[in-house]
Amino acid sequence: MRRAPLIRAAITATGRYMPRRAVPNSHFYGELGLDTNEEWIRSRTGVVERRIADVAGGETTASMSAWAAQQCLQRAGVAPEDVDGIVVATITPDQGVTATACIVQELIGATNAWAFDLVAACSGYVFGLSQATAMVRAGMARRVLVIGAETMSSILDYTDRDTCIIFGDGAGCSLVEAVDEGGLEVLDFAMHAAGAGATLLNVPAGGSVRPASHDTVDERLHFVKQDGRAVFKHAVTRISQVITELLDKNGLTADDVALVVPHQANIRIIEACGRRLKVDMGRIAVSVDRWANTTAATIPTTLDLALEEGRIKPGDLVVFAAFGAGFTWGSALLRA
Ligand code: UT7
């Protein structure tokens, strides 16, 4: 049985920022003239619309993160100077060098906080939450902001109907604090990686092996490439496994879980996991219809929505679960 940590780490507040512009599916078969349609997108992905950032108008990964963080801190009643650390999970930083977390630190005035970015794609928020929890429990920090934020539209090929329809932009934030009571206590994690999956989902250029050049731009290598069908199968298997693993090692079953907050890649992945785990859709939080797949931002934004809708009651066990590029996958167990 898990030993209770000396210092209790809990999510005491959440916040989110979604870009103002909502883009319906008709944008892709209408304005962009792609060979797709409403029925295919809705039935194969569950997406009805997604938010797309107006980067030129000031909506960037860092600013969206900062707005989500400000809302979160305001709700917690915590001043920015009292934040010890900021983790931003993202694969779409504002720029290649200088962590987005440092820009966020400046934007919100968290003058006493360290800050770094974490790259684990769709699992980034869960992995970041594990780091924050470990540091709080170890007494290395008392308050850490864990942010999942993406401007996926900056790496989407809008001529590729396989990828561009499923992603969206946005940011979600959670404050992890050392508190004796209250909040969503973070209990445990299960996390994995399998680099063999790197070929199935990636952005081929822009790193040190293939830096930006005329050729890489001409060959459209700065955009997300994925073998959707293969990734889909891995996602269903791994998410189901990692939730089962986490519940098993805590002596729990799926019946004990009040709410699962899964990564929002595709409604069919979410439903398939629900069937495998025997968790009905009434106990699974869904936002893929309104926000699509915002990579590292799906879980913190969907959690924020679930809390807003009053779906988490005192005593409830909550599970987060994600799968993404790397491959990476992981789950977190929390109690309200
Ligand atoms: O979040 C990070 C991890 N990413 C994921 O978890 C994404 C996982 N994958 C998926 O969500 C799905 O695989 C997609 C939504 C990307 C694709 O759905 P699918 O059901 O796996 O479709 P498919 O790739 O097997 O393609 C089925 C058919 C193909 O046509 P044929 O070969 O059967 O004639 C595709 O060309 O659907 C076609 N197709 C489309 N048709 C209309 C693919 N994209 C589209 C489209 N509109 N947008």
Side-chain angles (χ1 to χ4, degrees):
M1 200 57 191
R2 195 183 60 90
R3 244 183 332 133
L6 292 177
I7 298 178
R8 182 179 177 274
I11 294 177
T12 54
T14 60
R16 69 171 186 264
Y17 180 84
M18 280 294 158
R20 291 176 295 264
R21 181 174 169 227
V23 173
N25 294 333
S26 57
H27 175 68
F28 298 91
Y29 52 84
E31 287 161 58
L32 297 184
L34 292 183
D35 180 16
T36 185
N37 57 72
E38 192 67 39
E39 207 280 320
W40 195 96
I41 299 173
R42 285 198 191 202
S43 64
R44 307 299 291 177
T45 72
V47 179
V48 175
E49 63 178 29
R50 73 286 292 141
R51 298 299 179 96
I52 299 296
D54 174 11
V55 175
E59 289 178 327
T60 72
T61 300
S63 67
M64 293 192 293
S65 299
W67 288 320
Q70 280 165 339
Q71 183 180 56
C72 180
L73 289 176
Q74 200 173 17
R75 287 172 174 172
V78 168
E81 309 85 60
D82 293 332
V83 173
D84 297 322
I86 302 170
V87 182
V88 174
T90 187
I91 55 166
T92 50
D94 274 21
Q95 54 201 45
V97 175
T98 295
T100 293
C102 293
I103 305 172
V104 174
Q105 187 251 12
E106 171 68 14
L107 285 172
I108 67 173
T111 44
N112 297 308
W114 43 257
F116 65 86
D117 287 3
L118 182 154
V119 181
C122 305
S123 311
Y125 170 79
V126 171
F127 284 25
L129 183 64
S130 78
Q131 296 304 292
T133 301
M135 292 184 87
V136 167
R137 281 187 187 164
M140 293 172 68
R142 286 192 63 78
R143 295 185 188 89
V144 180
L145 290 170
V146 182
I147 298 169
E150 304 285 2
T151 309
M152 290 302 294
S153 55
S154 66
I155 56 168
L156 293 179
D157 183 347
Y158 283 99
T159 65
D160 176 13
R161 68 177 186 173
D162 289 347
T163 50
C164 70
I165 52 134
I166 62 177
F167 292 99
D169 302 337
C173 178
S174 302
L175 175 65
V176 180
E177 275 193 276
V179 284
D180 293 334
E181 55 183 23
L184 268 173
E185 184 185 4
V186 192
L187 300 175
D188 202 6
F189 291 88
M191 301 189 301
H192 298 277
T199 54
L200 296 171
L201 176 53
N202 56 44
V203 176
S208 52
V209 171
R210 296 208 70 179
S213 67
H214 286 293
D215 286 347
T216 61
V217 172
D218 290 346
E219 291 168 38
R220 310 183 80 74
L221 298 181
H222 295 274
F223 296 124
V224 175
K225 315 279 178 196
Q226 76 165 352
D227 178 340
R229 206 176 297 194
V231 175
F232 186 106
K233 286 184 190 151
H234 281 284
V236 173
T237 307
R238 298 308 197 181
I239 289 173
S240 306
Q241 279 175 350
V242 82
I243 291 178
T244 305
E245 176 191 346
L246 183 63
L247 293 175
D248 280 355
K249 77 172 167 138
N250 284 276
L252 299 165
T253 71
D255 289 343
D256 298 314
V257 178
L259 189 70
V260 178
V261 184
H263 172 50
Q264 308 283 314
N266 184 318
I267 191 67
R268 290 185 297 131
I269 293 176
I270 296 170
E271 288 169 349
C273 292
R275 280 194 299 275
R276 282 191 182 203
L277 295 161
K278 298 195 171 50
V279 176
D280 55 277
M281 288 304 288
R283 288 190 287 145
I284 304 181
V286 172
S287 67
V288 67
D289 50 337
R290 61 177 89 183
W291 298 328
N293 181 352
T294 56
T295 305
T298 59
I299 294 177
T301 52
T302 307
L303 171 66
D304 186 63
L305 181 66
L307 288 166
E308 188 177 286
E309 291 175 342
R311 293 185 68 182
I312 300 174
K313 308 268 183 304
D316 278 356
L317 279 174
V318 178
V319 166
F320 302 159
F323 175 87
F327 292 139
T328 56
W329 64 103
S331 57
L333 178 67
L334 304 95
R335 187 181 10 238

